[in-house]
């Protein structure tokens, strides 16, 4: 896998989220400009932002090239935004649906897999700067990398 982290890890995660969420909730990705208003200027009811956080990699086994393994770890964070003034109930209901997006799933990515651990969250909603309520769902993952 080597230096192809963006294509071998990020692409399948983002594609899965896009395929599963966009039919029923607008999705954006960390670092991408997103306007919480729809085309008419009204605030969207709900929307989600996906962020992939990479942790420290470590050597799992030693050996000649093509035999040794590294373990890459990280987490997928889905921030779910709910409309101002509607309370936390509808947001928590949506978060329960989003929770299964990566929870304990395994993605085959060629010569290895992305193994997702149990999803944590949603926690208690917080308020962002536009007044949206926000909850976060966090799913740790691990990838074995042959080097």
């Amino acid at each position: 896998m080597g230096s192809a982290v963006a294509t071998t890890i990020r692409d399948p995660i983002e594609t899965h989220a896009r395929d599963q969420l966009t039919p029923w909730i607008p999705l954006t990705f960390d670092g991408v400009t997103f306007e919480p208003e729809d085309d008419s200027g009204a605030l969207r009811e709900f929307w989600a932002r996906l962020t992939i956080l990479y942790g420290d990699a470590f050597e799992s086994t030693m050996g000649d090239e093509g035999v040794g393994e590294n373990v890459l770890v990280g987490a997928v964070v889905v921030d779910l935004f709910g409309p101002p003034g509607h309370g936390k109930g509808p947001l928590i209901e949506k978060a329960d649906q989003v929770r299964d997006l990566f929870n304990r799933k395994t993605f085959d990515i060629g010569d290895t897999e992305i193994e997702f651990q149990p999803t944590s969250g949603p926690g208690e909603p917080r308020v962002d700067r536009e007044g949206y309520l926000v909850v976060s769902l966090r799913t740790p993952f691990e990838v074995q990398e042959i080097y």
Side-chain angles (χ1 to χ4, degrees), residues 9 58 70-75 112-117 139-144:
I9 295 175
F58 59 91
N70 295 330
V71 176
L72 306 173
V73 296
T112 191
E113 299 174 327
I114 305 173
E115 295 180 20
F116 296 95
Q117 306 304 314
T139 309
F141 66 83
E142 183 174 289
V143 177
Q144 301 290 324

Side-chain angles (χ1 to χ4, degrees), residues 72-130:
L72 306 173
V73 296
V76 176
V77 178
V78 178
D79 293 316
L80 186 62
F81 297 78
H86 287 81
K88 65 182 181 180
L91 181 62
I92 298 298
E93 286 178 23
K94 289 280 188 198
D96 285 343
Q97 296 170 340
V98 173
R99 187 174 180 276
D100 290 332
L101 190 63
F102 296 105
N103 188 38
R104 299 180 56 97
K105 297 217 182 335
T106 301
F107 293 179
D108 181 11
I109 56 170
D111 62 347
T112 191
E113 299 174 327
I114 305 173
E115 295 180 20
F116 296 95
Q117 306 304 314
T119 299
S120 299
E124 192 61 27
R126 60 193 187 281
V127 179
D128 80 346
R129 66 177 184 265
E130 285 86 23

Side-chain angles (χ1 to χ4, degrees), residues 5-123:
V5 171
T7 56
T8 57
I9 295 175
R10 181 174 297 280
D11 288 354
I13 290 171
E14 289 183 354
T15 298
H16 178 72
R18 190 178 297 114
D19 291 348
Q20 298 300 310
L21 290 180
T22 54
W24 59 279
I25 189 167
L27 175 67
T28 188
F29 300 97
D30 192 45
V32 175
T33 302
F34 180 80
E35 295 298 329
E37 296 85 17
D38 63 17
D39 292 338
S40 71
L43 290 177
R44 297 180 193 278
E45 288 220 6
F46 296 95
W47 57 282
R49 178 181 59 222
L50 184 136
T51 304
I52 301 172
L53 304 172
Y54 294 99
D56 292 332
F58 59 91
E59 191 172 53
S60 175
T61 63
M62 296 179 5
D64 294 332
E65 187 173 325
V67 178
E69 289 186 1
N70 295 330
V71 176
L72 306 173
V73 296
V76 176
V77 178
V78 178
D79 293 316
L80 186 62
F81 297 78
H86 287 81
K88 65 182 181 180
L91 181 62
I92 298 298
E93 286 178 23
K94 289 280 188 198
D96 285 343
Q97 296 170 340
V98 173
R99 187 174 180 276
D100 290 332
L101 190 63
F102 296 105
N103 188 38
R104 299 180 56 97
K105 297 217 182 335
T106 301
F107 293 179
D108 181 11
I109 56 170
D111 62 347
T112 191
E113 299 174 327
I114 305 173
E115 295 180 20
F116 296 95
Q117 306 304 314
T119 299
S120 299

